[in-house]
Amino acid sequence: MSPAARLRGLRPDWLNNPKIWRTEVLAGLVVALALIPEAISFSIIAGVDPAIGLFASFTMAVTISIVGGRRAMISAATGAVALVIAPLNREHGFGYLVAAVILAGVFQVVLGTLGVAKLMRFVPRSVMVGFVNALAVLIFMAQVPEMHDVPWAVYPLIAGGLGLMVFFPRVTKVIPAPLVSIIILTVITVAAGISVPTVGDKGALPSSLPTPGLPDVPFTLDTLTTVAPYALAMALVGLMESLMTAKLVDEITDTRSNKTRESIGQGIANIVTGFFGGMGGCAMIGQTMINVRVSGARTRLSTFLAGAFLMVLCIAFGPVVSDIPMAALVAVMVMVSFATFDWHSIAPKTLKRMPAGEITVMALTVAVVVATHNLAIGVVVGTITAMVIFAKRVAHLAEVTAVVDPDGSTVVYRVTGELFFASSNDLVTQFNYATDPDKVVIDLSDTHIWDASSVAALDSIETKYAQRGKEVEIIGLNQPSAQIHQKLSGELTGSH
């Protein structure tokens, strides 16, 4: 292989392929435009100046594009983080908010290093579907205020934007339809002098880059105890949303990502953001869907450029960006909402075949997320519900069948299914202690002992037989079951 060919192999895909480069650049531009009003809105929720949210979106996107574990995912200032830290800013001031962002980043790095990302394997598919559908509902609901009590011209502009995004891809996919829609609607409103809400109405755009510095707080134990609970809540919410988004992008792109690296990367991005005076953030699902699903981006370049373009647009093209009608961005987000929703999951054909428990978990996840406006709470509630339903279902799979020897001297009980806290509770009642012969064999060849509750149940069975002068022999234990039984038997009930 020639040195030039070897060098090409080491370079990112977007450097070798002009088509990929064009897709990534245009995707980054569309996301940057969509980030501006969102970041300003989240700044208002957190009670800080709009520039703080825009700075956070810039530093989060640029940093995570380098240190993150999921390519093409967008991280920026988010509503979930804003809701968590808003009370701290309100009660103690902006300095404490910045300190919380930095500490949250440290918590995320620690949690990532400890392997918190591995907990994602316990999130069932029904929760994931509920999460996606709830996200789509939230994205749509966030646009409703922009369509309420506004000039009548807003509605045809939104309809026109949606029409452009539906039909323009049939003409060409070289330029992302959302970008075309934003440009055309902006030109129409400016040229015709149509008076509608614009990006500039949301707040003033920054005129210079953020500068690094330490948070303006006393570095005392009292400050730490004040900030720590908010920082931990922000770290957990941020990791939950980011890991769920990474998993969603994995499925959309049919690629795998490094969740541990993503967890640590989120922490590093928040630490950097805090030192630059930003309000912190996490993965943005709506903007990620614009980037990945609508614009077709697949590399880190689009994430980096989303942050870079955001600052360029604010600083160099502030007056132009301020004239973008909110109707254009509302149309983009409504399109994202419809594209994100898993319509197959609510099709009558699907619902007929789906187990009732799965439907319940999916619906509950959506309901909790929509009610609380917090994706993390919905995922936790949905996952716990799924586990309870699973445990209840598996609890009834442990069965006991008895076979008495022809001579009547021995009875063999064959146990099938899984033995754990839910199923082992019923195990004790399935033996005939009074009428069984003197020799009792319990065959566990077709089962597995998972916990101390199962060992305690077996000890209780042995004790009940011993009280009647009968001997019990347990056979067929696999190695892990034998180890836990040997370790705990007789230590739990005090009967031996």
Side-chain angles (χ1 to χ4, degrees):
M1 185 184 291
S2 68
R6 194 179 297 114
L7 183 63
R8 275 198 302 272
L10 292 172
R11 292 190 302 183
D13 290 343
W14 54 268
L15 272 177
N16 298 325
N17 189 327
K19 186 179 178 183
I20 294 176
W21 186 86
R22 184 177 62 240
T23 299
E24 300 297 312
V25 171
L26 292 174
L29 181 57
V30 174
V31 172
L33 288 167
L35 274 173
I36 293 171
E38 295 261 318
I40 295 172
S41 298
F42 299 145
S43 300
I44 294 166
I45 291 171
V48 298
D49 189 79
I52 303 302
L54 291 163
F55 287 156
S57 296
F58 162 60
T59 52
M60 286 292 297
V62 169
T63 307
I64 206 68
S65 70
I66 300 165
V67 299
R70 173 63 260 177
R71 291 185 296 174
M73 191 166 80
I74 305 295
S75 290
T78 57
V81 167
L83 286 168
V84 170
I85 58 177
L88 180 64
N89 180 59
R90 191 166 54 246
E91 293 167 22
H92 298 278
F94 181 65
Y96 281 81
L97 181 150
V98 173
V101 171
I102 295 170
L103 185 57
V106 173
F107 282 146
Q108 288 177 329
V109 170
V110 172
L111 289 168
T113 307
L114 292 174
V116 72
K118 292 176 182 175
L119 294 175
M120 288 303 295
R121 71 181 69 178
F122 296 106
V123 178
R125 185 184 177 280
S126 52
V127 173
M128 189 69 191
V129 172
F131 167 83
V132 170
N133 290 346
L135 160 68
V137 173
L138 286 185
I139 292 173
F140 184 82
M141 286 174 63
Q143 311 316 309
V144 172
E146 304 295 340
M147 296 184 269
H148 178 67
D149 197 22
V150 291
W152 68 268
V154 167
Y155 303 111
L157 285 171
I158 292 174
L162 289 170
L164 279 167
M165 284 183 284
V166 171
F167 295 109
F168 186 79
R170 299 181 184 181
V171 178
T172 178
K173 292 185 179 178
V174 172
I175 305 173
L179 181 58
V180 174
S181 175
I182 291 168
I183 292 171
I184 290 176
L185 294 187
T186 303
V187 170
I188 290 171
T189 53
V190 172
I194 301 171
S195 180
V196 291
T198 63
V199 169
D201 296 333
K202 286 285 184 183
L205 302 180
S207 56
S208 62
L209 288 169
T211 53
L214 293 173
D216 183 19
V217 293
F219 290 87
T220 62
L221 184 61
D222 186 52
T223 301
L224 181 64
T225 53
T226 302
V227 165
Y230 294 95
L232 182 59
M234 175 184 160
L236 293 173
V237 168
L239 281 181
M240 179 76 77
E241 290 212 20
S242 299
L243 292 173
M244 290 294 286
T245 306
K247 190 174 179 182
L248 177 59
V249 177
D250 287 355
E251 291 185 9
I252 292 170
T253 60
D254 199 23
T255 57
R256 294 184 66 183
S257 60
N258 187 330
K259 306 298 189 303
T260 297
R261 179 177 171 180
E262 183 60 38
S263 303
I264 296 170
Q266 288 289 331
I268 294 170
N270 272 308
I271 292 170
V272 171
T273 298
F275 281 120
F276 275 93
M279 57 180 273
C282 61
M284 285 197 83
I285 307 167
Q287 272 62 23
T288 297
M289 289 299 100
I290 293 175
N291 198 44
V292 175
R293 180 164 270 172
V294 179
S295 301
R298 292 293 183 270
T299 76
R300 296 178 185 275
L301 179 63
S302 57
T303 306
F304 177 85
L305 289 178
F309 281 149
L310 176 64
M311 280 294 102
V312 172
L313 288 167
C314 290
I315 295 168
F317 300 99
V320 177
V321 172
S322 294
D323 286 336
I324 294 174
M326 283 303 299
L329 297 170
V330 168
V332 171
M333 297 312 291
V334 169
M335 196 72 183
V336 169
S337 172
F338 276 87
T340 302
F341 198 92
D342 186 350
W343 296 101
H344 176 72
S345 67
I346 60 169
K349 190 176 178 182
T350 306
L351 294 175
K352 276 183 186 176
R353 295 180 177 179
M354 193 80 74
E358 303 269 318
I359 296 171
T360 301
V361 168
M362 182 179 73
L364 184 64
T365 303
V366 173
V368 172
V369 171
V370 172
T372 63
H373 284 244
N374 191 317
L375 291 159
I377 294 175
V379 169
V380 171
V381 170
T383 302
I384 291 172
T385 305
M387 288 179 174
V388 170
I389 291 171
F390 172 77
K392 191 175 178 182
R393 189 185 303 153
V394 175
H396 298 295
L397 296 180
E399 295 182 355
V400 179
T401 53
V403 178
V404 181
D405 272 4
D407 60 4
S409 62
T410 306
V411 61
V412 178
Y413 282 95
R414 190 177 189 85
V415 182
T416 57
E418 303 301 312
L419 290 182
F420 67 113
F421 62 90
S423 59
S424 59
N425 288 335
D426 297 331
L427 189 67
V428 181
T429 63
Q430 300 190 49
F431 292 81
N432 299 315
Y433 304 101
T435 59
D436 279 342
D438 292 341
K439 179 71 187 282
V440 177
V441 177
I442 302 177
D443 185 358
L444 300 179
S445 304
D446 294 328
T447 190
H448 186 98
I449 297 175
W450 289 102
D451 58 8
S453 297
S454 305
V455 177
L458 291 170
D459 280 356
S460 178
I461 292 165
E462 289 189 75
T463 301
K464 288 178 181 294
Y465 277 117
Q467 288 170 348
R468 293 167 174 78
K470 299 175 182 181
E471 180 190 349
V472 175
E473 181 185 2
I474 296 175
I475 63 170
L477 287 169
N478 59 35
Q479 190 175 352
S481 298
Q483 286 175 345
I484 191 171
H485 184 262
Q486 186 178 2
K487 186 179 179 181
L488 297 177
S489 183
E491 302 296 327
L492 301 169
T493 62
S495 57
H496 285 227

